[in-house]
Amino acid sequence: ATVSRAGMIYLNTEDLGWWPFVKSWLQQPQYADDAVLAQTLTAMFEKYMEESLEYRRLQLKEGVDTDRLASVRQFCALFDAHKDAEHGIDPSLYPNLEDEPEAYVAMIELTFLFCLIWSVGASLDDDSRKKFDVFLRENDTRWPHEQTVYEYFVDPKAREWVLWEKQLTTYRPPPEMPFFKIMVPTVDTLRSKTIALTLSGIGRHVLIVGNVGVGKTMVAQSCLESLPESKSSMIINFS
């Protein structure tokens, strides 16, 4: 009765699906004003998103179950964070865009796939990640063959897939650092920290999940230590 008197109409997300959210997202000026970007993203959504969500629901296992719409929202948030010149998603970087849009389109597609991995595929367990790797490779042949798709990020300068391990450098802890605080960077901690900081950088909440002993707490603490001086943090223990 309260809903009807207020003139509200409530619709379940299960009935609407995720497309209305995506269509609304694409109508934002930063996407609607870029025809190449909007058209490429629409085509990629049509090709990958529903099939990926259904494949995850039917064939894969998550460490923490994720709602379909929540996965799409995380995808959109990640893409928002990558839509700038620093990540290669800026039409001004492509001077011959009208005549040769291929390079810009390719960069959009690579970034789409990267964001798909770390939204729909982010919470999958190890065995399911291997299956998701095979699934993505069946739909796109540009992936390098050395390791799974989770081992690569999009290099905006090279405009191609590059191994995360390329970003690792020799680690030497400060002499005064206590032993229990030393965290030697690995590919796992590097990519988890990168994704977490990317999301928190645009004001999104982040939940780091994983099995016991994989370094979730250390990654979270490292992220907090990497926040800009304008931000502060508070640690609350629940155990």
Side-chain angles (χ1 to χ4, degrees):
T2 301
V3 171
S4 62
R5 284 197 293 271
M8 301 175 186
I9 299 177
Y10 177 80
L11 297 172
N12 292 318
T13 56
E14 292 80 6
D15 297 329
L16 285 175
W18 52 268
W19 258 116
F21 177 84
V22 170
K23 289 181 178 179
S24 177
W25 178 68
L26 288 173
Q27 288 174 0
Q28 298 177 97
Q30 62 265 38
Y31 293 99
D33 295 344
D34 187 339
V36 174
L37 177 61
Q39 292 170 8
T40 304
L41 283 175
T42 299
M44 293 295 283
F45 271 111
E46 292 174 346
K47 179 179 179 180
Y48 283 101
M49 188 58 73
E50 182 62 28
E51 190 174 353
S52 298
L53 291 169
E54 277 299 286
Y55 184 70
R56 185 185 69 178
R57 182 178 71 86
L58 297 173
Q59 304 292 336
L60 307 179
K61 183 178 180 181
E62 297 179 87
V64 175
D65 290 339
T66 309
D67 179 74
R68 289 163 60 89
L69 182 58
S71 297
V72 174
R73 291 184 63 188
Q74 177 160 322
F75 170 91
C76 294
L78 268 177
F79 200 94
D80 283 339
H82 286 81
K83 189 194 173 303
D84 54 30
E86 180 182 354
H87 294 94
I89 307 297
D90 187 334
S92 65
L93 300 175
Y94 306 86
N96 299 322
L97 184 59
E98 292 187 4
D99 298 326
E100 300 176 357
E102 292 81 7
Y104 187 35
V105 169
M107 194 63 188
I108 296 169
E109 292 176 344
L110 292 179
T111 305
F112 181 101
L113 292 171
F114 177 82
C115 294
L116 184 70
I117 293 168
W118 294 106
S119 55
V120 176
S123 59
L124 299 178
D125 62 21
D126 290 339
D127 290 337
S128 294
R129 286 190 174 192
K130 294 176 183 177
K131 295 178 181 178
F132 197 56
D133 168 71
V134 174
F135 167 79
L136 289 177
R137 290 179 185 278
E138 290 176 348
N139 288 277
D140 194 296
T141 59
R142 288 173 291 183
W143 297 98
H145 296 287
E146 291 82 2
Q147 301 189 46
T148 71
V149 297
Y150 287 88
E151 309 302 320
Y152 297 91
F153 70 98
V154 183
D155 187 327
K157 295 181 180 179
R159 296 176 183 174
E160 62 182 12
W161 296 111
V162 175
L163 286 167
W164 281 103
E165 65 183 28
K166 297 290 186 181
Q167 294 191 38
L168 293 177
T169 58
T170 302
Y171 176 74
R172 291 184 175 85
E176 69 279 2
M177 179 176 287
F179 181 78
F180 68 91
K181 286 190 175 182
I182 295 176
M183 184 179 74
V184 179
T186 65
V187 169
D188 286 331
T189 59
L190 171 64
R191 60 191 177 191
S192 296
K193 180 180 178 180
T194 300
I195 299 300
L197 288 176
T198 299
L199 289 170
S200 63
I202 58 171
R204 298 292 178 139
H205 298 157
V206 179
L207 175 66
I208 301 173
V209 300
N211 293 325
V212 176
V214 298
K216 301 184 296 295
T217 300
M218 296 296 286
V219 170
Q221 291 176 341
S222 179
C223 289
L224 294 177
E225 293 171 358
S226 300
L227 292 175
E229 294 183 358
S230 59
K231 305 291 184 181
S232 61
S233 64
M234 177 183 294
I235 298 176
I236 303 175
N237 292 321
F238 289 95
S239 61

